[in-house]
Amino acid sequence: MSSQHPPTKRQKRDDYRKAHKDDNIAQLPKKKFYRQRAHANPFSDHQLTYPASPDLMDWTSYYPAYITPNTGPEEPNDHQETRIKQLSKDITVADIGCGFGGLLVALAPKLSDELLIGMEIRTQVTEFVQDKIKALRSQNADSGLYQNIACLRANTMKFLPNFFRKGQLSKIFLCFPDPHFKARKHKARIVSLTLNSEYAFAMKPGGIVYTITDVEDLHKWMVKHLEEHPSFERVGREEEAEDECVKIMMVETEEGKKVERNKGDKFVACFRRLGDPPWP
């Protein structure tokens, strides 16, 4: 007589996530079924899909409420590539390393006129945020809340310019990034001279980069590298304290809540994108 083994934790997680893919489900996903390591190596080959250029990115499955009618895709001919469906407005806010999506969800009603994208490298964490957004949209079908947020699996350290045109973004959030404590790992930090140039490319003049961490050494690193970049200047403390997005960022991310429970410190710094100098 054969005995049936009880399902493993991994099987339970897989079964739960598969069941949660039901389009009609309105129940919020449970984080315990989407567990993954706290950080991922950005230099590894993660088998990601990304567009060759921003104009070739089809965002319509992420923002179905903002699809522009009658824009394709059309059948290509010898002289025309397949036309990508367009949105009625551009994405203007990016939460890089969005984690479990707490900030995205909190910002959605506050920035209701803007499209926000969370970008996360970890597969199961991305899946959690996508399922959470789907459930929130279902729960708020009458009001249309949360149609303006989405989550995409991406490695922004490699492919940020593939998704955003020059000057497209007004806000970038870098919340509780991996501190990479060892000196030989500092090249993997999300703020560096090279990456700051990519942020500057994607941001319009006057846009804001928001940073927050509970690691003072990382805070000083981010401040130093952003202050040294010619395209950014630090926002004054008074303006920073009055910024509604800063207030939300302080309390709504999962990492921020964990720091709060542990009575730790949070270090915030915001930087404004300066206009490019005129060509000589």
Side-chain angles (χ1 to χ4, degrees), residues 211-261:
T211 74
I212 184 170
T213 178
D214 59 328
V215 179
E216 187 172 12
D217 174 68
L218 177 61
H219 168 70
K220 291 178 179 178
W221 167 283
M222 293 192 291
V223 168
K224 175 179 182 294
H225 283 78
L226 280 161
E227 282 185 335
E228 289 177 351
H229 197 283
S231 293
F232 293 102
E233 67 174 4
R234 189 167 183 180
V235 173
R237 297 294 177 86
E238 185 176 339
E239 180 182 348
E240 180 185 287
E242 294 175 354
D243 190 322
E244 192 67 24
C245 290
V246 171
K247 297 175 184 176
I248 294 172
M249 179 178 70
M250 288 283 288
V251 298
E252 292 294 347
T253 68
E254 280 73 9
E255 284 296 320
K257 292 175 181 177
K258 187 188 300 182
V259 173
E260 197 81 28
R261 289 194 300 269

Side-chain angles (χ1 to χ4, degrees), residues 79-227:
H79 306 288
Q80 179 185 23
E81 294 182 354
T82 302
R83 186 190 299 174
I84 302 298
K85 285 186 178 182
Q86 299 297 314
L87 300 179
S88 59
K89 57 174 67 178
D90 286 335
I91 295 165
T92 54
V93 180
D95 183 6
I96 296 177
C98 68
F100 288 94
L103 180 64
L104 272 180
V105 171
L107 287 175
K110 298 293 184 180
L111 302 176
S112 57
D113 292 332
E114 302 191 58
L115 296 187
L116 296 73
I117 186 70
M119 310 184 85
E120 173 59 49
I121 196 171
R122 294 167 293 171
T123 308
Q124 292 184 28
V125 178
T126 303
E127 191 176 340
F128 172 86
V129 181
Q130 291 172 342
D131 288 349
K132 183 176 183 178
I133 292 171
K134 185 187 297 183
L136 287 169
R137 287 175 176 175
S138 180
Q139 291 176 3
N140 295 272
D142 292 339
S143 65
L145 273 174
Y146 306 108
Q147 295 289 342
N148 64 327
I149 59 173
C151 182
L152 169 77
R153 184 168 180 249
N155 183 350
T156 56
M157 290 185 69
K158 290 184 177 181
F159 304 119
L160 187 74
N162 294 74
F163 292 99
F164 304 117
R165 297 188 304 277
K166 178 177 173 61
Q168 179 175 337
L169 300 178
S170 62
K171 293 177 173 60
I172 290 177
F173 290 89
L174 306 172
C175 300
F176 299 97
D178 189 338
H180 293 290
F181 290 107
K182 296 179 181 178
R184 64 185 178 86
K185 294 283 190 178
H186 285 179
K187 63 184 178 181
R189 285 180 167 176
I190 198 68
V191 168
S192 67
L193 180 62
T194 302
L195 291 173
N196 291 349
S197 294
E198 294 195 357
Y199 302 147
F201 173 85
M203 296 199 77
K204 69 178 184 180
I208 303 291
V209 174
Y210 297 81
T211 74
I212 184 170
T213 178
D214 59 328
V215 179
E216 187 172 12
D217 174 68
L218 177 61
H219 168 70
K220 291 178 179 178
W221 167 283
M222 293 192 291
V223 168
K224 175 179 182 294
H225 283 78
L226 280 161
E227 282 185 335

